[in-house]
Amino acid sequence: MSSAPDLFEAVLELPDASARARYESLVGLDDVKARLNKEAQLLLHPSSLEAWSQQFHRRRISACDAFADRHPVFLFAGDVGTGKTALAESFGDQVARSIGLPIYLYRLSLASRGSGAVGEMTQLLAAAFDEVRRVAATPPGRDGKRSSAVILLIDEADALAQSREASQMHHEDRAGVNALIRGINSLTEKRLPVLVVLATNRLQAIDPAVRRRAAATFRFDRPDDTQREAALARLIDGVALSTDEIRGLVKATGAVDGRPYGYTYSDLYQRLVPAAVLAAYPDRPLTGDLLLQAVASIEPTPPFVEEGP
Ligand SMILES: Nc1ncnc2c1ncn2[C@@H]1O[C@H](COP(=O)(O)OP(=O)(O)OP(=O)(O)O)[C@@H](O)[C@H]1O
Ligand SMILES: [Mg+2]
């Protein structure tokens, strides 16, 4: 699959075993995953809804109209280190398997976001949408069926789709928002099988016109006790820990000692466990004590506090 290397990171073709493993490694997101998979199927492969209606009602029921004309945009919003990027980059694997078509995952490259020179952001976005439209517009086969679909991921989207009302906003950023809206509208009008995913930890900063277009918004929160326990159970699989030690770890990584927030998933995966393993390696086994010592030395990442309304 060809692509302009400066616009996108390497294009991934899904389904793909490593995307699947990444998707399955994400815990605490079962509800999000289930809804995401259904919503994405209906947007990328609307004939699945028709088929469902035919199967259960023997005709196309008018309730299906509720799904027509939706903008193919999902917002992933929520706290830092809670799996937005990891899920956005991997859920297409599940969707591709469900609809039985390859999905090309295009990730707008951070490097391509330009220096802010007038016209640059607008041109970059226009070029990105041109490219995904070109890929998605492959004419349907003789049976009228599409042969592939596209997910366009715009991560850290607040940098691009920031509210045009923000007083400090530079002219070029406003032009970027307009280009994004034009791109989204063009996908909706042409009913192309492209899904745009915008990920952010600053939902309030996203332009209202962009937010309004989202067919669905998915919320990501830092893990509660049960979710931390599930995450820890996976992480320390193979290490002999007593029930009390696990309980102690779950408690110590939560909101304790007057701290109003606990560990994020990435605090657990990328900070706590590596710190404890490094303390054990090379001459000791990993133990509950070493994990608790690591907790004592690691402050959880503070939540991103939304400003404004
Ligand atoms: N729900 C989860 N289950 C298991 N691991 C997770 C989960 N969420 C995050 N992680 C771990 O944390 C890493 C970072 O997560 P990710 O980059 O997806 O967070 P994010 O929500 O995009 O954060 P940010 O807002 O800072 O961009 C993941 O690669 C994974 O190792
Ligand atoms: Mg992210």
Side-chain angles (χ1 to χ4, degrees), residues 52 62 66 104 129-130 141 148 163 171 176 189 193 239 253:
W52 161 83
S62 45
Y104 297 102
F129 275 94
D130 278 351
S148 66
S163 174
H171 163 78
E189 279 158 23
V239 182
T253 52

Side-chain angles (χ1 to χ4, degrees), residues 83-155:
K84 297 183 297 296
T85 301
L87 187 61
E89 291 187 341
S90 62
F91 80 97
D93 174 83
Q94 191 70 22
V95 180
R97 290 175 203 271
S98 303
I99 64 178
L101 292 181
I103 291 181
Y104 297 102
L105 172 67
Y106 281 76
R107 295 166 293 173
L108 200 63
S109 144
L110 288 174
S112 80
R113 292 185 185 195
S115 55
V118 172
E120 192 172 28
M121 189 62 86
T122 312
Q123 276 176 15
L124 287 168
L125 275 168
F129 275 94
D130 278 351
E131 173 73 2
V132 295
R133 272 198 305 267
R134 190 185 64 71
V135 175
T138 323
R142 252 189 276 152
D143 52 4
K145 288 190 179 144
R146 298 255 174 218
S147 55
S148 66
V150 174
I151 293 173
L152 170 61
L153 170 59
I154 304 181
D155 209 349

Side-chain angles (χ1 to χ4, degrees), residues 38-118:
K38 282 193 198 185
E39 298 259 22
Q41 278 182 41
L42 298 192
L43 281 165
L44 290 177
H45 200 245
S47 58
S48 336
L49 187 65
E50 308 266 336
W52 161 83
S53 184
Q54 290 292 346
Q55 183 186 349
F56 293 101
H57 301 279
R58 296 186 177 279
R59 64 191 179 89
R60 185 185 188 284
I61 58 171
S62 45
C64 295
D65 294 345
F67 290 86
D69 301 326
R70 295 207 307 170
H71 292 285
V73 179
F74 288 167
L75 273 171
F76 283 17
D79 211 342
V80 294
T82 49
K84 297 183 297 296
T85 301
L87 187 61
E89 291 187 341
S90 62
F91 80 97
D93 174 83
Q94 191 70 22
V95 180
R97 290 175 203 271
S98 303
I99 64 178
L101 292 181
I103 291 181
Y104 297 102
L105 172 67
Y106 281 76
R107 295 166 293 173
L108 200 63
S109 144
L110 288 174
S112 80
R113 292 185 185 195
S115 55
V118 172

Side-chain angles (χ1 to χ4, degrees), residues 9-40:
E9 306 199 16
V11 178
L12 302 182
E13 184 178 342
L14 306 169
D16 166 81
S18 64
R20 180 179 207 161
R22 196 164 178 213
Y23 179 84
E24 285 173 356
S25 77
L26 295 171
V27 302
L29 293 172
D30 291 352
D31 293 346
V32 168
K33 285 178 175 176
R35 181 167 151 240
L36 181 58
N37 192 22
K38 282 193 198 185
E39 298 259 22

